[in-house]
Amino acid sequence: MEPLRITPRLHLLDHSIGQSYLWRDDDELTLVDAGWAGSADVTTAAIRAAGLDPDRLARIVLTHGHRDHVGAAQELADRHGAAIVSHRLDAPYVRGELPVPEPDLLEWELPLWEHGLTVPEAPPTRVDREVGDGEELGFGNGAVAVHTPGHTPGSMAVHLPRHGVLFTGDTVASVQGVTFGVFHVDRALALESLRRLAELRPSVLCCGHGPAVTSDTAEQLAAAAAAGAVAL
């Protein structure tokens, strides 16, 4: 896996189904989402390929509890000394204490969902820090958690206002342009979350699926929010 440089501080790591993002501060690294179970080796190698030391990994921030985002988190955290961060409402799913809620699938989503289930199931994973809406996350000159319920109860985005960067998890997708995401537990609530994210007007959009968006970003996100009602 070759890391894709988005900005001097930001790389995308593509796991083919889902992806994670590597953020570099001056003295430490943060991973947003962690890829599949079993992908820790390729993630470590990708960090090195970006010219960075994986032992500087200070935290892994999980946008939600689905297997393609959580799978390698604990292996990476144990290997490199990172703390694992999750919204408190998804923490029981991450730890394996409760089953991940089933999404309310539209008919056209069924084959996509079945394909996603080919990703290995995530092992029970510790959560070192549970956060809520508006809490600072300790990186990126003031990164904050933005609770975005709907995809899962404890889905959260990560906003770096000083850098104009927004990590959306799966509330938003960018596979075929910027669109409302799929596989939501509560589609109406997820749409409300999308509208809230659009109000942040980021310049760099990092979704759980699809390439990073770096041009006309705020406008594309606003258009996705306006069009999202047709997906209900």
PDB file of all heavy atoms in Angstrom, residues 8-10 22-31 52 56 58-59 137-143 160 163:
ATOM      1  N   PRO A   8       0.930  18.486   3.023  1.00  0.00           N
ATOM      2  CA  PRO A   8       2.200  18.141   3.675  1.00  0.00           C
ATOM      3  C   PRO A   8       2.038  17.407   4.996  1.00  0.00           C
ATOM      4  O   PRO A   8       2.949  16.685   5.409  1.00  0.00           O
ATOM      5  CB  PRO A   8       2.867  19.511   3.866  1.00  0.00           C
ATOM      6  CG  PRO A   8       2.331  20.340   2.742  1.00  0.00           C
ATOM      7  CD  PRO A   8       0.901  19.901   2.592  1.00  0.00           C
ATOM      8  N   ARG A   9       0.899  17.538   5.653  1.00  0.00           N
ATOM      9  CA  ARG A   9       0.684  16.885   6.937  1.00  0.00           C
ATOM     10  C   ARG A   9      -0.262  15.684   6.867  1.00  0.00           C
ATOM     11  O   ARG A   9      -0.503  15.031   7.881  1.00  0.00           O
ATOM     12  CB  ARG A   9       0.128  17.889   7.955  1.00  0.00           C
ATOM     13  CG  ARG A   9       1.101  18.976   8.354  1.00  0.00           C
ATOM     14  CD  ARG A   9       0.543  19.817   9.490  1.00  0.00           C
ATOM     15  NE  ARG A   9       1.475  20.853   9.905  1.00  0.00           N
ATOM     16  CZ  ARG A   9       2.432  20.696  10.811  1.00  0.00           C
ATOM     17  NH1 ARG A   9       2.576  19.513  11.414  1.00  0.00           N
ATOM     18  NH2 ARG A   9       3.234  21.676  11.143  1.00  0.00           N
ATOM     19  N   LEU A  10      -0.792  15.386   5.709  1.00  0.00           N
ATOM     20  CA  LEU A  10      -1.895  14.426   5.617  1.00  0.00           C
ATOM     21  C   LEU A  10      -1.682  13.430   4.492  1.00  0.00           C
ATOM     22  O   LEU A  10      -1.411  13.815   3.345  1.00  0.00           O
ATOM     23  CB  LEU A  10      -3.204  15.199   5.395  1.00  0.00           C
ATOM     24  CG  LEU A  10      -4.494  14.408   5.210  1.00  0.00           C
ATOM     25  CD1 LEU A  10      -4.817  13.572   6.447  1.00  0.00           C
ATOM     26  CD2 LEU A  10      -5.646  15.362   4.896  1.00  0.00           C
ATOM     27  N   LEU A  22      -3.520   9.411   7.821  1.00  0.00           N
ATOM     28  CA  LEU A  22      -2.398   9.672   8.703  1.00  0.00           C
ATOM     29  C   LEU A  22      -2.149  11.172   8.765  1.00  0.00           C
ATOM     30  O   LEU A  22      -1.906  11.810   7.731  1.00  0.00           O
ATOM     31  CB  LEU A  22      -1.147   8.945   8.193  1.00  0.00           C
ATOM     32  CG  LEU A  22       0.102   9.068   9.052  1.00  0.00           C
ATOM     33  CD1 LEU A  22      -0.086   8.324  10.377  1.00  0.00           C
ATOM     34  CD2 LEU A  22       1.315   8.522   8.296  1.00  0.00           C
ATOM     35  N   TRP A  23      -2.232  11.719   9.981  1.00  0.00           N
ATOM     36  CA  TRP A  23      -1.977  13.146  10.187  1.00  0.00           C
ATOM     37  C   TRP A  23      -0.659  13.306  10.944  1.00  0.00           C
ATOM     38  O   TRP A  23      -0.407  12.621  11.931  1.00  0.00           O
ATOM     39  CB  TRP A  23      -3.111  13.785  10.987  1.00  0.00           C
ATOM     40  CG  TRP A  23      -2.848  15.238  11.268  1.00  0.00           C
ATOM     41  CD1 TRP A  23      -2.262  15.760  12.389  1.00  0.00           C
ATOM     42  CD2 TRP A  23      -3.101  16.340  10.401  1.00  0.00           C
ATOM     43  NE1 TRP A  23      -2.141  17.130  12.273  1.00  0.00           N
ATOM     44  CE2 TRP A  23      -2.658  17.510  11.054  1.00  0.00           C
ATOM     45  CE3 TRP A  23      -3.675  16.451   9.133  1.00  0.00           C
ATOM     46  CZ2 TRP A  23      -2.775  18.781  10.475  1.00  0.00           C
ATOM     47  CZ3 TRP A  23      -3.787  17.711   8.559  1.00  0.00           C
ATOM     48  CH2 TRP A  23      -3.348  18.853   9.225  1.00  0.00           C
ATOM     49  N   ARG A  24       0.161  14.250  10.478  1.00  0.00           N
ATOM     50  CA  ARG A  24       1.465  14.490  11.106  1.00  0.00           C
ATOM     51  C   ARG A  24       1.477  15.842  11.795  1.00  0.00           C
ATOM     52  O   ARG A  24       1.273  16.882  11.166  1.00  0.00           O
ATOM     53  CB  ARG A  24       2.579  14.465  10.048  1.00  0.00           C
ATOM     54  CG  ARG A  24       3.966  14.771  10.616  1.00  0.00           C
ATOM     55  CD  ARG A  24       5.016  14.851   9.530  1.00  0.00           C
ATOM     56  NE  ARG A  24       4.761  15.918   8.573  1.00  0.00           N
ATOM     57  CZ  ARG A  24       5.083  17.204   8.779  1.00  0.00           C
ATOM     58  NH1 ARG A  24       5.651  17.579   9.911  1.00  0.00           N
ATOM     59  NH2 ARG A  24       4.818  18.101   7.843  1.00  0.00           N
ATOM     60  N   ASP A  25       1.704  15.830  13.095  1.00  0.00           N
ATOM     61  CA  ASP A  25       2.086  17.037  13.814  1.00  0.00           C
ATOM     62  C   ASP A  25       3.609  17.058  13.916  1.00  0.00           C
ATOM     63  O   ASP A  25       4.283  16.153  13.443  1.00  0.00           O
ATOM     64  CB  ASP A  25       1.424  17.060  15.197  1.00  0.00           C
ATOM     65  CG  ASP A  25      -0.069  17.365  15.115  1.00  0.00           C
ATOM     66  OD1 ASP A  25      -0.442  18.334  14.423  1.00  0.00           O
ATOM     67  OD2 ASP A  25      -0.864  16.628  15.733  1.00  0.00           O
ATOM     68  N   ASP A  26       4.158  18.089  14.528  1.00  0.00           N
ATOM     69  CA  ASP A  26       5.611  18.226  14.536  1.00  0.00           C
ATOM     70  C   ASP A  26       6.300  17.067  15.249  1.00  0.00           C
ATOM     71  O   ASP A  26       7.367  16.613  14.826  1.00  0.00           O
ATOM     72  CB  ASP A  26       6.010  19.549  15.194  1.00  0.00           C
ATOM     73  CG  ASP A  26       5.617  20.743  14.321  1.00  0.00           C
ATOM     74  OD1 ASP A  26       5.421  20.551  13.106  1.00  0.00           O
ATOM     75  OD2 ASP A  26       5.507  21.860  14.872  1.00  0.00           O
ATOM     76  N   ASP A  27       5.690  16.555  16.325  1.00  0.00           N
ATOM     77  CA  ASP A  27       6.386  15.545  17.127  1.00  0.00           C
ATOM     78  C   ASP A  27       5.625  14.244  17.283  1.00  0.00           C
ATOM     79  O   ASP A  27       6.075  13.342  17.995  1.00  0.00           O
ATOM     80  CB  ASP A  27       6.716  16.103  18.511  1.00  0.00           C
ATOM     81  CG  ASP A  27       5.474  16.603  19.250  1.00  0.00           C
ATOM     82  OD1 ASP A  27       4.390  16.626  18.625  1.00  0.00           O
ATOM     83  OD2 ASP A  27       5.597  16.972  20.428  1.00  0.00           O
ATOM     84  N   GLU A  28       4.455  14.102  16.638  1.00  0.00           N
ATOM     85  CA  GLU A  28       3.702  12.861  16.770  1.00  0.00           C
ATOM     86  C   GLU A  28       2.760  12.675  15.589  1.00  0.00           C
ATOM     87  O   GLU A  28       2.500  13.614  14.816  1.00  0.00           O
ATOM     88  CB  GLU A  28       2.927  12.816  18.092  1.00  0.00           C
ATOM     89  CG  GLU A  28       1.877  13.894  18.230  1.00  0.00           C
ATOM     90  CD  GLU A  28       1.189  13.860  19.586  1.00  0.00           C
ATOM     91  OE1 GLU A  28       1.804  13.369  20.569  1.00  0.00           O
ATOM     92  OE2 GLU A  28       0.038  14.329  19.664  1.00  0.00           O
ATOM     93  N   LEU A  29       2.227  11.461  15.482  1.00  0.00           N
ATOM     94  CA  LEU A  29       1.338  11.083  14.395  1.00  0.00           C
ATOM     95  C   LEU A  29      -0.010  10.659  14.959  1.00  0.00           C
ATOM     96  O   LEU A  29      -0.099  10.142  16.073  1.00  0.00           O
ATOM     97  CB  LEU A  29       1.924   9.920  13.592  1.00  0.00           C
ATOM     98  CG  LEU A  29       3.322  10.102  13.005  1.00  0.00           C
ATOM     99  CD1 LEU A  29       3.799   8.795  12.380  1.00  0.00           C
ATOM    100  CD2 LEU A  29       3.331  11.224  11.976  1.00  0.00           C
ATOM    101  N   THR A  30      -1.050  10.861  14.157  1.00  0.00           N
ATOM    102  CA  THR A  30      -2.400  10.411  14.491  1.00  0.00           C
ATOM    103  C   THR A  30      -2.957   9.652  13.300  1.00  0.00           C
ATOM    104  O   THR A  30      -2.843  10.105  12.158  1.00  0.00           O
ATOM    105  CB  THR A  30      -3.318  11.596  14.821  1.00  0.00           C
ATOM    106  OG1 THR A  30      -2.812  12.281  15.969  1.00  0.00           O
ATOM    107  CG2 THR A  30      -4.745  11.132  15.090  1.00  0.00           C
ATOM    108  N   LEU A  31      -3.566   8.500  13.552  1.00  0.00           N
ATOM    109  CA  LEU A  31      -4.243   7.726  12.525  1.00  0.00           C
ATOM    110  C   LEU A  31      -5.741   7.867  12.751  1.00  0.00           C
ATOM    111  O   LEU A  31      -6.235   7.641  13.858  1.00  0.00           O
ATOM    112  CB  LEU A  31      -3.827   6.264  12.625  1.00  0.00           C
ATOM    113  CG  LEU A  31      -4.149   5.346  11.441  1.00  0.00           C
ATOM    114  CD1 LEU A  31      -3.379   5.769  10.198  1.00  0.00           C
ATOM    115  CD2 LEU A  31      -3.835   3.892  11.804  1.00  0.00           C
ATOM    116  N   LEU A  52       7.987   8.552   7.631  1.00  0.00           N
ATOM    117  CA  LEU A  52       7.667   8.842   9.024  1.00  0.00           C
ATOM    118  C   LEU A  52       7.920   7.614   9.890  1.00  0.00           C
ATOM    119  O   LEU A  52       7.946   6.483   9.398  1.00  0.00           O
ATOM    120  CB  LEU A  52       6.206   9.282   9.150  1.00  0.00           C
ATOM    121  CG  LEU A  52       5.859  10.551   8.359  1.00  0.00           C
ATOM    122  CD1 LEU A  52       4.352  10.756   8.311  1.00  0.00           C
ATOM    123  CD2 LEU A  52       6.550  11.774   8.957  1.00  0.00           C
ATOM    124  N   ARG A  56       6.052   6.947  16.384  1.00  0.00           N
ATOM    125  CA  ARG A  56       5.561   8.264  16.806  1.00  0.00           C
ATOM    126  C   ARG A  56       4.032   8.312  16.806  1.00  0.00           C
ATOM    127  O   ARG A  56       3.447   9.365  17.082  1.00  0.00           O
ATOM    128  CB  ARG A  56       6.111   9.356  15.887  1.00  0.00           C
ATOM    129  CG  ARG A  56       7.614   9.581  16.012  1.00  0.00           C
ATOM    130  CD  ARG A  56       8.122  10.512  14.925  1.00  0.00           C
ATOM    131  NE  ARG A  56       7.414  11.790  14.933  1.00  0.00           N
ATOM    132  CZ  ARG A  56       7.438  12.670  13.915  1.00  0.00           C
ATOM    133  NH1 ARG A  56       8.107  12.365  12.813  1.00  0.00           N
ATOM    134  NH2 ARG A  56       6.792  13.805  13.994  1.00  0.00           N
ATOM    135  N   ALA A  58       0.730   8.412  18.144  1.00  0.00           N
ATOM    136  CA  ALA A  58       0.273   8.732  19.496  1.00  0.00           C
ATOM    137  C   ALA A  58      -1.157   8.295  19.750  1.00  0.00           C
ATOM    138  O   ALA A  58      -1.523   7.979  20.875  1.00  0.00           O
ATOM    139  CB  ALA A  58       0.395  10.241  19.746  1.00  0.00           C
ATOM    140  N   ARG A  59      -1.981   8.282  18.703  1.00  0.00           N
ATOM    141  CA  ARG A  59      -3.399   7.952  18.894  1.00  0.00           C
ATOM    142  C   ARG A  59      -3.991   7.412  17.598  1.00  0.00           C
ATOM    143  O   ARG A  59      -3.529   7.754  16.500  1.00  0.00           O
ATOM    144  CB  ARG A  59      -4.191   9.168  19.383  1.00  0.00           C
ATOM    145  CG  ARG A  59      -4.290  10.291  18.378  1.00  0.00           C
ATOM    146  CD  ARG A  59      -4.831  11.580  18.961  1.00  0.00           C
ATOM    147  NE  ARG A  59      -3.991  12.091  20.038  1.00  0.00           N
ATOM    148  CZ  ARG A  59      -2.853  12.741  19.832  1.00  0.00           C
ATOM    149  NH1 ARG A  59      -2.400  12.950  18.602  1.00  0.00           N
ATOM    150  NH2 ARG A  59      -2.142  13.184  20.842  1.00  0.00           N
ATOM    151  N   LEU A 137      -9.286  16.659  20.705  1.00  0.00           N
ATOM    152  CA  LEU A 137      -8.694  15.330  20.558  1.00  0.00           C
ATOM    153  C   LEU A 137      -7.184  15.309  20.705  1.00  0.00           C
ATOM    154  O   LEU A 137      -6.579  14.245  20.649  1.00  0.00           O
ATOM    155  CB  LEU A 137      -9.103  14.744  19.204  1.00  0.00           C
ATOM    156  CG  LEU A 137     -10.612  14.559  19.035  1.00  0.00           C
ATOM    157  CD1 LEU A 137     -10.953  14.142  17.612  1.00  0.00           C
ATOM    158  CD2 LEU A 137     -11.148  13.536  20.034  1.00  0.00           C
ATOM    159  N   GLY A 138      -6.557  16.483  20.859  1.00  0.00           N
ATOM    160  CA  GLY A 138      -5.148  16.508  21.200  1.00  0.00           C
ATOM    161  C   GLY A 138      -4.185  16.511  20.036  1.00  0.00           C
ATOM    162  O   GLY A 138      -2.999  16.234  20.224  1.00  0.00           O
ATOM    163  N   PHE A 139      -4.657  16.820  18.848  1.00  0.00           N
ATOM    164  CA  PHE A 139      -3.753  16.895  17.697  1.00  0.00           C
ATOM    165  C   PHE A 139      -4.276  17.934  16.718  1.00  0.00           C
ATOM    166  O   PHE A 139      -5.354  18.500  16.888  1.00  0.00           O
ATOM    167  CB  PHE A 139      -3.607  15.530  17.024  1.00  0.00           C
ATOM    168  CG  PHE A 139      -4.793  15.081  16.204  1.00  0.00           C
ATOM    169  CD1 PHE A 139      -4.784  15.223  14.824  1.00  0.00           C
ATOM    170  CD2 PHE A 139      -5.911  14.510  16.807  1.00  0.00           C
ATOM    171  CE1 PHE A 139      -5.865  14.809  14.061  1.00  0.00           C
ATOM    172  CE2 PHE A 139      -6.984  14.083  16.055  1.00  0.00           C
ATOM    173  CZ  PHE A 139      -6.968  14.236  14.680  1.00  0.00           C
ATOM    174  N   GLY A 140      -3.491  18.194  15.685  1.00  0.00           N
ATOM    175  CA  GLY A 140      -3.949  19.059  14.603  1.00  0.00           C
ATOM    176  C   GLY A 140      -4.300  20.472  15.017  1.00  0.00           C
ATOM    177  O   GLY A 140      -5.189  21.092  14.430  1.00  0.00           O
ATOM    178  N   ASN A 141      -3.606  21.010  16.023  1.00  0.00           N
ATOM    179  CA  ASN A 141      -3.851  22.380  16.476  1.00  0.00           C
ATOM    180  C   ASN A 141      -5.307  22.625  16.838  1.00  0.00           C
ATOM    181  O   ASN A 141      -5.886  23.665  16.496  1.00  0.00           O
ATOM    182  CB  ASN A 141      -3.408  23.397  15.409  1.00  0.00           C
ATOM    183  CG  ASN A 141      -1.958  23.224  15.005  1.00  0.00           C
ATOM    184  OD1 ASN A 141      -1.677  22.685  13.924  1.00  0.00           O
ATOM    185  ND2 ASN A 141      -1.032  23.643  15.846  1.00  0.00           N
ATOM    186  N   GLY A 142      -5.907  21.652  17.509  1.00  0.00           N
ATOM    187  CA  GLY A 142      -7.270  21.853  17.989  1.00  0.00           C
ATOM    188  C   GLY A 142      -8.315  21.006  17.310  1.00  0.00           C
ATOM    189  O   GLY A 142      -9.460  21.445  17.140  1.00  0.00           O
ATOM    190  N   ALA A 143      -7.973  19.781  16.923  1.00  0.00           N
ATOM    191  CA  ALA A 143      -8.963  18.868  16.340  1.00  0.00           C
ATOM    192  C   ALA A 143     -10.081  18.613  17.340  1.00  0.00           C
ATOM    193  O   ALA A 143      -9.834  18.425  18.531  1.00  0.00           O
ATOM    194  CB  ALA A 143      -8.303  17.552  15.945  1.00  0.00           C
ATOM    195  N   LEU A 160     -10.620  19.625  11.915  1.00  0.00           N
ATOM    196  CA  LEU A 160      -9.415  20.397  12.207  1.00  0.00           C
ATOM    197  C   LEU A 160      -9.635  21.808  11.680  1.00  0.00           C
ATOM    198  O   LEU A 160      -9.255  22.145  10.543  1.00  0.00           O
ATOM    199  CB  LEU A 160      -8.180  19.768  11.543  1.00  0.00           C
ATOM    200  CG  LEU A 160      -7.527  18.558  12.224  1.00  0.00           C
ATOM    201  CD1 LEU A 160      -8.481  17.375  12.342  1.00  0.00           C
ATOM    202  CD2 LEU A 160      -6.250  18.152  11.497  1.00  0.00           C
ATOM    203  N   HIS A 163      -6.922  23.942  10.012  1.00  0.00           N
ATOM    204  CA  HIS A 163      -6.373  23.426   8.748  1.00  0.00           C
ATOM    205  C   HIS A 163      -7.452  23.249   7.678  1.00  0.00           C
ATOM    206  O   HIS A 163      -7.119  22.869   6.545  1.00  0.00           O
ATOM    207  CB  HIS A 163      -5.665  22.098   9.000  1.00  0.00           C
ATOM    208  CG  HIS A 163      -4.489  22.207   9.915  1.00  0.00           C
ATOM    209  ND1 HIS A 163      -3.229  22.581   9.489  1.00  0.00           N
ATOM    210  CD2 HIS A 163      -4.380  22.018  11.264  1.00  0.00           C
ATOM    211  CE1 HIS A 163      -2.391  22.597  10.526  1.00  0.00           C
ATOM    212  NE2 HIS A 163      -3.069  22.260  11.606  1.00  0.00           N
TER     213      HIS A 163
END
